[in-house]
Amino acid sequence: MGLFNSLRKILPRRTQSDPKLRWEFLSDGTCVDNLREHESAWRVGVARFESLLQGLEKRTENSLGRRLAHAALEHDERIMRMGTLSKPSGRVPGAWSDYISDWGSRGLGRFRLLDDEQDIRILAEAPASGQICAGSLAAAWECATSRRHRFTWSDNSGDGLVVSLTEQHSDVPSPKALKAPWKESTTIEKYPYEDQDQWANFHAEEIGTWSIMGERKMMIHLDLILRFEEYCIPYVKDNKFPRSDDYTWSGLENKRSPWLGSLADSVRESFVSEGHHVLVREHSDWISIARRHLSLHGLGGVIESEQIDAHGGVRLTFSGLFHPAIVSGTLLGCWERAYGRNGKANFSLIAAKSTLELRSSRAIAD
């Protein structure tokens, strides 16, 4: 048995499933996971997500890595019960064929067992996000062994990320689904949107990693973002940062406003720093701007635009929406790149309608 297990660890793994088949982009600008009961997902650059997390920690004055890792654990525990992929089983990660494919098509990297004696150690190679990968592997090991574990992780220089797990005797309830009110309210019909632009310049690299136009990408489900929020909101409820007043959130819980503002501003800063060229000739241009900067990433789409002042102010109505703060921060970044000055964003969710107003943060004389 020892020889068999050793061989299982070193034998080549199966080829990852094709991301282009798993992730389906819809006519409302969002993206769903065909293997996990059509859960909403966001295609994001690995470097951009890391920049976003750093921006969040700066604005909230909190270290958020541990909370993201625990959110990832809960998230993976939940989605492993969804769809037709087999769950991890047994103490040989090399045999978790469907989970290896799952990781690969999410762009998370790859993993292998280092040690299964007193403390379990799993190596994540080329991890897309240390925190997400650590939580994900902890969830997989708990599922495979039917035991709860404490987990820690550490960067192992150029080798990757080492996740260490220690069994603990505790009874933790299984995670339940979280609600996203902006998802429940939509009444717009959605259907698959066939457009090769969504996967243009796709390149599969090593097993577990892939890129688009040379930028490494990963897929993040909305469920993970929502769980991360639940872990963080209690710690940032009174938080203020320099541009807090540039964001308002009508129709969403007041307790979420500081978090939503911090997230949106982190997204805005990350977007602006990338130097995108955005040109607005008239307010209707925002539909194509949203197509490029939202829909191609599964963040949503704009179906209607309306000018609200003579200085670039615009009201946008969404066809679909991944997350209000991520979308608002992205579009405010577009607005600031187009007009070269600070703006402000007012998101509103009323009945079945999500809208966003963008305008200058300072009054401009007519």
Side-chain angles (χ1 to χ4, degrees), residues 51 55 58-59 264-274 329:
S51 173
K58 180 177 70 174
R59 286 163 178 78
D265 201 55
S266 300
V267 172
R268 177 204 60 79
E269 181 181 58
S270 178
F271 181 90
V272 169
S273 70
E274 292 173 359

Side-chain angles (χ1 to χ4, degrees), residues 35-240:
L35 297 183
R36 299 295 190 187
E37 298 180 10
H38 298 97
E39 285 281 297
S40 291
W42 171 29
R43 187 174 67 192
V44 59
V46 168
R48 178 182 283 196
F49 185 79
E50 179 62 27
S51 173
L52 165 61
L53 184 60
Q54 292 174 0
L56 268 171
E57 291 185 328
K58 180 177 70 174
R59 286 163 178 78
T60 62
E61 299 180 342
N62 272 268
S63 177
L64 304 178
R66 190 74 189 169
R67 291 165 197 158
L68 178 57
H70 279 281
L73 184 152
E74 286 189 6
H75 165 68
D76 266 49
E77 181 178 345
R78 175 175 175 263
I79 67 167
M80 280 189 288
R81 303 196 303 263
M82 304 168 66
T84 58
L85 293 176
S86 62
K87 298 178 183 178
S89 179
R91 303 178 74 90
V92 182
W96 301 347
S97 58
D98 276 5
Y99 200 65
I100 291 169
S101 270
D102 175 44
W103 254 52
S105 56
R106 282 195 276 169
L108 294 183
R110 54 196 176 276
F111 56 85
R112 59 186 174 90
L113 184 65
L114 289 178
D115 190 14
D116 183 13
E117 298 298 331
Q118 294 182 343
D119 286 349
I120 299 94
R121 295 190 305 138
I122 302 174
L123 176 66
E125 299 173 291
S129 162
Q131 300 89 346
I132 292 175
C133 290
S136 174
L137 288 174
W141 188 263
E142 289 186 347
C143 176
T145 60
S146 300
R147 296 286 189 275
R148 291 292 183 186
H149 290 74
R150 291 190 301 271
F151 71 99
T152 58
W153 68 94
S154 60
D155 288 316
N156 191 20
S157 63
D159 294 332
L161 186 83
V162 177
V163 181
S164 302
L165 302 107
T166 306
E167 185 174 335
Q168 62 177 355
H169 301 285
S170 61
D171 185 16
V172 180
S174 298
K176 298 180 179 180
L178 299 177
K179 294 182 178 180
W182 57 92
K183 286 290 188 181
E184 298 168 0
S185 67
T186 183
T187 59
I188 295 174
E189 184 180 359
K190 295 175 284 188
Y191 51 87
Y193 188 78
E194 300 294 338
D195 187 340
Q196 294 302 313
D197 285 349
Q198 288 145 347
W199 295 103
N201 297 299
F202 170 85
H203 178 63
E205 298 169 351
E206 297 180 281
I207 294 176
T209 64
W210 46 273
S211 64
I212 293 178
M213 296 186 68
E215 180 186 14
R216 185 178 173 187
K217 302 284 188 177
M218 65 176 171
M219 302 298 299
I220 296 179
H221 292 95
L222 176 60
D223 180 77
L224 172 55
I225 300 295
L226 296 178
R227 292 182 191 283
F228 184 37
E229 286 184 0
E230 292 301 312
Y231 271 107
C232 296
I233 284 173
Y235 300 93
V236 300
K237 60 183 179 180
D238 299 320
N239 183 66
K240 296 284 285 184

Side-chain angles (χ1 to χ4, degrees), residues 324-348:
I326 297 172
V327 167
S328 297
T330 300
L331 290 179
L332 183 56
C334 289
W335 193 95
E336 293 184 354
R337 287 294 300 170
Y339 291 100
R341 58 180 182 271
N342 287 356
K344 60 182 179 180
N346 177 14
F347 177 84
S348 177

Side-chain angles (χ1 to χ4, degrees), residues 271 276-297 299-303 305 312 314 316 318 327 329-339 356 358:
F271 181 90
H276 295 276
H277 178 66
V278 181
L279 179 63
V280 179
R281 296 186 179 90
E282 53 187 34
H283 68 83
S284 60
D285 290 337
W286 281 100
I287 294 175
S288 60
I289 290 171
R291 164 73 185 144
R292 177 181 178 186
H293 295 291
L294 297 183
S295 304
L296 288 179
H297 311 285
L299 290 177
V302 169
I303 55 170
S305 64
V314 65
L316 307 175
F318 293 100
V327 167
T330 300
L331 290 179
L332 183 56
C334 289
W335 193 95
E336 293 184 354
R337 287 294 300 170
Y339 291 100
L356 177 68
L358 302 170

